[in-house]
Amino acid sequence: MEKQGLGITITEHILKQQRENPEATGAFTILLNELIVAAKVISREVNKAGLVDIIGATGGVNVQEEQVQKLDVFANQVTIERLQHVGQLCCMGSEENADLIDIPPPYPKGNYILLFDPLDGSSNIDVNVSIGTIFGIYRKQSDETNIDMLLNDALQPGIKQVAAGYFIYGSSTIMVYTTGNGTGVHGFTLFPSLGEFLLSHENIRTPEKGKIYSVNEGNYDYWDEKTRALVDYFKARDRETGRPYTSRYVGSLVADFHRNLLKGGIFMYPADNKDPKKPSGKLRLMVEANPLAMVVKEAKGYASDGHGPILEIDPAELHQRTPLYIGSKKDVELAEAFISGKKRG
Ligand code: AFP
């Protein structure tokens, strides 16, 4: 029977994927649904920013030694509170928390691990630029239940994610997610009057080659020669290879990534020598690079640290940073050729 009016809701879509996977128990569906509830609450609060006394800094710094905004704290708390009771998680890891987050009693523990960045791009909050929530979900590998013993389970390479995605709080609120293995990348737009995410971007495929490069070029002097040569290459004029590329950089990873996912191109946050404590650049492997790397791979793009796939990096710590080159496959492969020194211009 043809659908009347509404289209496909996110819940319907997740349940359909569950039916198509004979091994699915429904645990995962519950988990994603609760994540969506958290995102709706964050979205509502983001839309109110400026109207109530919730924007602006708390005055504190997070584990990354960055200023914490009130909305970061709010988004972190909401996500933890919504997800801790569902019974499907054994622990969580957040960009805002130094250590893994335990599931407190009386809530039951499950077999999944949620790693997330509750509000990415937070320095853009009070200037009305898009921000987002990024998440990756892993299955626990050991039989451990004690939080002190679960770090190894949380530190799996990104290739082990069973789902990943993001929410963008922008001109509209959008959720993009994938469960990998050829199931595709799908985008859903929140219809505020219905309070529902409806399928708006089915089976997203990113162009094989793009025309956009996205990087904080203010860091040019902090980069090595290879990185500079790469960016110079994108800016040089050459009709045959479609150059110069167009420069687009918002400073919110989710927003920059989402634009390039749909339009094609490359986002990069290279290693630099700006801060000796962050030689691998600013971005975090577990809560930023890995989830987006899973999404882009499923959309037929590619994510690299300049030397190899992000998804194959064996993580050593929860807040590990990594250089990131992500987007259209051909553009990211080209970046790898420059960073490895195989191509010079
Ligand atoms: P904030 O959350 O501190 O705004 O950082 C955002 C971010 O992690 C990522 O979303 C951006 O792509 C990147 O940092 C921007 O960093 P620069 O300001 O150094 O370009």
Side-chain angles (χ1 to χ4, degrees):
M1 199 171 78
E2 201 173 306
K3 291 205 135 218
Q4 300 298 309
L6 193 57
I8 298 174
T9 69
I10 177 84
T11 310
E12 211 176 333
H13 196 267
I14 295 170
L15 285 170
K16 181 168 166 277
Q17 292 216 336
Q18 185 189 315
R19 280 195 304 275
E20 284 166 6
N21 177 358
E23 285 168 29
T25 60
F28 193 59
T29 304
I30 297 171
L31 189 51
L32 276 181
N33 269 330
E34 208 56 36
L35 202 55
I36 291 162
V37 175
K40 284 184 190 170
V41 178
I42 297 168
S43 174
R44 187 199 59 188
E45 220 54 30
V46 167
N47 288 332
K48 286 201 310 205
L51 293 174
V52 289
D53 179 29
I54 198 161
I55 65 166
T58 57
V61 289
N62 68 9
V63 291
Q64 317 283 339
E65 294 182 2
E66 294 152 340
Q67 202 177 48
V68 176
Q69 306 281 329
K70 282 186 191 174
L71 263 175
D72 294 32
V73 175
F74 177 84
N76 198 35
Q77 277 169 0
V78 166
T79 310
I80 295 169
E81 278 167 24
R82 293 306 324 168
L83 272 296
Q84 67 186 3
H85 73 88
V86 293
Q88 315 303 340
L89 293 173
C90 61
C91 63
M92 291 179 251
S94 162
E95 193 217 294
E96 298 295 335
N97 295 61
D99 302 314
L100 284 179
I101 304 157
D102 202 3
I103 305 299
Y107 306 122
K109 290 190 180 183
N111 289 322
Y112 290 99
I113 298 164
L114 172 71
L115 301 185
F116 65 101
D117 182 349
L119 211 54
D120 184 67
S122 51
S123 54
N124 280 325
I125 292 170
D126 45 8
V127 288
N128 267 40
V129 171
S130 302
I131 47 185
T133 300
I134 309 176
F135 64 91
I137 300 173
Y138 295 79
R139 199 171 277 119
K140 187 168 70 138
Q141 300 293 322
S142 74
D143 295 330
E144 297 291 349
T145 51
N146 186 324
I147 189 73
D148 297 326
M149 309 302 286
L150 283 169
L151 190 58
N152 276 343
D153 287 279
L155 293 182
Q156 298 180 48
I159 195 94
K160 297 279 189 185
Q161 289 169 113
V162 292
Y166 56 88
F167 296 87
I168 300 188
Y169 314 108
S171 46
S172 53
T173 295
I174 291 184
M175 175 191 185
V176 172
Y177 88 106
T178 182
T179 50
N181 296 321
T183 54
V185 175
H186 308 286
F188 301 80
T189 303
L190 181 63
F191 275 57
S193 55
L194 293 169
E196 271 292 353
F197 281 96
L198 301 182
L199 184 61
S200 51
H201 302 71
E202 191 170 20
N203 209 8
I204 299 169
R205 292 281 172 98
T206 199
E208 197 180 22
K209 180 180 178 310
K211 285 226 31 115
I212 296 173
Y213 77 101
S214 310
V215 68
N216 183 346
E217 223 169 321
N219 290 333
Y220 192 88
D221 261 4
Y222 298 116
W223 297 333
D224 65 14
E225 285 303 319
K226 293 167 182 165
T227 310
R228 286 186 212 166
L230 170 66
V231 172
D232 290 344
Y233 177 88
F234 285 131
K235 288 158 62 171
R237 205 192 301 191
D238 179 49
R239 190 175 294 177
E240 208 180 301
T241 50
R243 290 179 289 145
Y245 277 34
T246 295
S247 167
R248 291 280 183 277
Y249 190 73
V250 168
S252 273
L253 175 59
V254 177
D256 280 312
F257 174 81
H258 185 68
R259 180 199 54 240
N260 292 6
L261 181 74
L262 299 182
K263 296 193 169 183
I266 180 168
F267 172 93
M268 44 190 154
Y269 206 109
D272 61 46
N273 62 16
K274 190 176 188 177
D275 179 349
K277 284 194 277 186
K278 300 175 190 168
S280 298
K282 184 178 177 190
L283 301 184
R284 303 83 174 165
L285 174 65
M286 303 305 287
V287 296
E288 292 179 310
N290 271 338
L292 301 186
M294 180 176 185
V295 170
V296 87
K297 182 180 179 209
E298 191 67 20
K300 308 289 178 214
Y302 179 42
S304 167
D305 67 353
H307 302 281
I310 287 284
L311 292 173
E312 286 173 19
I313 297 175
D314 216 349
E317 46 179 305
L318 200 51
H319 295 286
Q320 184 167 331
R321 295 182 194 258
T322 179
L324 178 63
Y325 300 84
I326 189 165
S328 294
K329 196 163 186 283
K330 289 228 154 106
D331 293 322
V332 177
E333 283 171 353
L334 180 87
E336 269 185 347
F338 271 91
I339 301 305
S340 66
K342 285 188 199 128
K343 188 168 169 58
R344 289 171 208 279

